[in-house]
Amino acid sequence: MNEKFGEVRKYLKKRKEQVILELIIRDYDKSNFYIALVFNTKIEKFKVLFIPFDVVDKRNLDEYVCYQFIHVSLVNYILQTFRHSRKIYLDDNFRDHLNRNISNYYIELHTYIDGEDYTFVTTQYIPKEWIFLFEVIVILFEHVPNIMGELCKTILMPFDDSADIIEYKTSFNFNLFEDDLTQIFSPSVVFMGEELYSKHNVLFLEKVNGKYFAIVHCHIVVVEYNEDKKVLNSYCDCSSPGYDAHIYAVIRGILDQQFRPFYKLMVVDDKDDFSLPNVIARYYLCYGMENDALLVIHGSKKKYLPLSMLLEGLIKVISDPNRELEKQIRKQLSKKLSKEELEEILLYIRKN
C-alpha cells in the first residue's frame, strides 16, 4: 500500500497536479481506495482523482486512475468549509478518532490548504464531531464511480439517526471455522471465556441479518464474520478490560452451534398502524425485562421500552419461544392489572 501510494505521488508530480485534499481508505473489508481533490496547474482546472489500489499496477498507473472534473464553485465551498472550521480542528486529539485495537477499517483524510497541512484519522466511520466534513465527503464521492456510493453511505452512518450503527472494538483477519482461537485471544482471555461459556452465561445467541447477536450476563455482544474475505469483527458494550472474554464465549457458542433465539418485538407509534396492510413498524431483538421496561437491542446498544407501551397497544410479540417473555410480562403486570385486564393485554400482544 505504501509503495503504491509513493507511486501515486510521483505520478501526480509528473502531471503537475497539486493535491488539495485526499481521502485514503485502507483495508475496509480488505479493499483499499484513494480519492483526491487536485488542481492541474497546466490546464488550471480542478479534478477529483479516484484510484482503486487493489488492482493498480504501478508500472502502468495511467490505465487505472479515474478523473472527474469538479466545478470551481464546489471547490470554493470545500475550501471555505475548512477555513471556517479551522478553530474547531486545530486540536490534534479532535482529529484523532482511531481505534488502535483495529488494524483495518482505516480512514485517513489529509488537507493541504493555505500552506497548512492537517491529518484526520478514524476507524470505520466519520465521527459525528466532524459534522463539517459531511458535505465535503459527499461531494468527493459524487465525483467518483457510482459503485462507491454504498461505501460513502456506510462511513457516514453516524449522521443518520435511524441507522443501526455497530462500532467494532476488535477486527481480525481470521478464518473462524478453521483457525485456532488462541491466535487472536491471550491465554487469560481464553481461560475467562471458557469459564463464561461452560457456566452457560451466553444467555442468547442468534444470527440476524448476517451478524451474530448475543447476551453474555447483561452485556450485548455482536460478532460479524465475512466468510469470503475471512474477516472477523466484534463488539461488546462492556467497558471493562474483560470484554474480550465475552466475545470469546460467544465465538465458542457459534462454533458449537449453541444458539438460543431472542424474543422478537414489533413496535409502532400508533396502535392503528397494526391494522394497515403494510405495517410501518420497528423490529427489535428482546432479551427480557428490567423493572417496568422491556430490554431490547437498538443497533448495538441497550434500549428500554416501557411497559406503558404494551398497555397502549404499541407492542406485539412476534416470537416468544415457550412463552418465556410472556411469563415475565405477566409477573410484572399482575401487580398493576386485574386478572381480566391482564389476559386481555396478553391476548392482544401475541395476536399477529
Side-chain angles (χ1 to χ4, degrees), residues 66-77:
C66 176
Y67 281 104
Q68 175 70 49
F69 285 103
I70 181 172
H71 198 278
V72 68
S73 63
L74 291 176
V75 175
N76 286 333
Y77 175 81

Side-chain angles (χ1 to χ4, degrees), residues 70-236:
I70 181 172
H71 198 278
V72 68
S73 63
L74 291 176
V75 175
N76 286 333
Y77 175 81
I78 291 173
L79 295 176
Q80 289 304 316
T81 296
F82 280 100
R83 287 165 181 157
H84 292 159
S85 305
R86 185 175 176 277
K87 290 182 179 179
I88 299 173
Y89 62 77
L90 280 177
D91 182 15
D92 291 345
N93 292 327
F94 178 85
R95 302 193 311 275
D96 187 347
H97 279 255
L98 205 61
N99 179 346
R100 286 167 174 78
N101 291 320
I102 297 181
S103 60
N104 47 11
Y105 293 99
Y106 180 83
I107 301 171
E108 183 174 335
L109 181 75
H110 294 282
T111 64
Y112 308 94
I113 298 172
D114 299 332
E116 296 182 329
D117 303 348
Y118 290 98
T119 299
F120 300 75
V121 288
T122 184
T123 301
Q124 197 174 354
Y125 301 115
I126 301 297
K128 262 193 170 182
E129 291 91 326
W130 297 357
I131 180 65
F132 66 94
L133 287 178
F134 180 87
E135 289 293 341
V136 173
I137 299 292
V138 170
I139 290 171
L140 286 179
F141 273 91
E142 285 177 341
H143 290 77
V144 301
N146 291 337
I147 195 172
M148 297 295 291
E150 194 60 36
L151 178 60
C152 178
K153 182 180 177 181
T154 298
I155 67 174
L156 293 176
M157 279 180 68
F159 301 94
D160 180 358
D161 291 334
S162 65
D164 293 337
I165 297 175
I166 302 173
E167 295 188 43
Y168 296 116
K169 286 190 174 182
T170 57
S171 183
F172 304 98
N173 294 321
F174 183 78
N175 189 323
L176 177 61
F177 301 106
E178 293 185 14
D179 293 343
D180 193 322
L181 291 179
T182 58
Q183 293 181 27
I184 57 175
F185 292 106
S186 68
S188 61
V189 168
V190 171
F191 176 80
M192 290 186 292
E194 285 289 347
E195 187 173 22
L196 285 170
Y197 181 67
S198 63
K199 292 183 177 179
H200 306 290
N201 285 312
V202 182
L203 306 178
F204 293 87
L205 175 56
E206 185 174 2
K207 189 175 185 180
V208 181
N209 296 329
K211 299 179 178 65
Y212 297 95
F213 290 83
I215 302 295
V216 183
H217 284 317
C218 58
H219 296 292
I220 298 171
V221 176
V222 184
V223 173
E224 180 187 50
Y225 180 60
N226 187 317
E227 174 69 32
D228 294 331
K229 298 186 177 181
K230 302 297 185 290
V231 175
L232 179 72
N233 302 312
S234 61
Y235 164 86
C236 179

Side-chain angles (χ1 to χ4, degrees), residues 310-311 329-330 332-346:
L310 280 176
L311 302 178
I329 295 172
R330 181 185 294 275
Q332 197 67 26
L333 287 182
S334 63
K335 305 171 186 177
K336 307 173 183 293
L337 303 175
S338 68
K339 185 177 179 179
E340 292 76 16
E341 290 172 325
L342 176 58
E343 294 305 324
E344 184 179 349
I345 290 292
L346 292 175

Side-chain angles (χ1 to χ4, degrees), residues 20-33:
I20 297 166
L21 173 69
E22 60 188 1
L23 178 65
I24 300 167
I25 298 173
R26 191 176 71 209
D27 209 3
Y28 210 104
D29 284 337
K30 290 193 174 180
S31 297
N32 303 276
F33 304 102

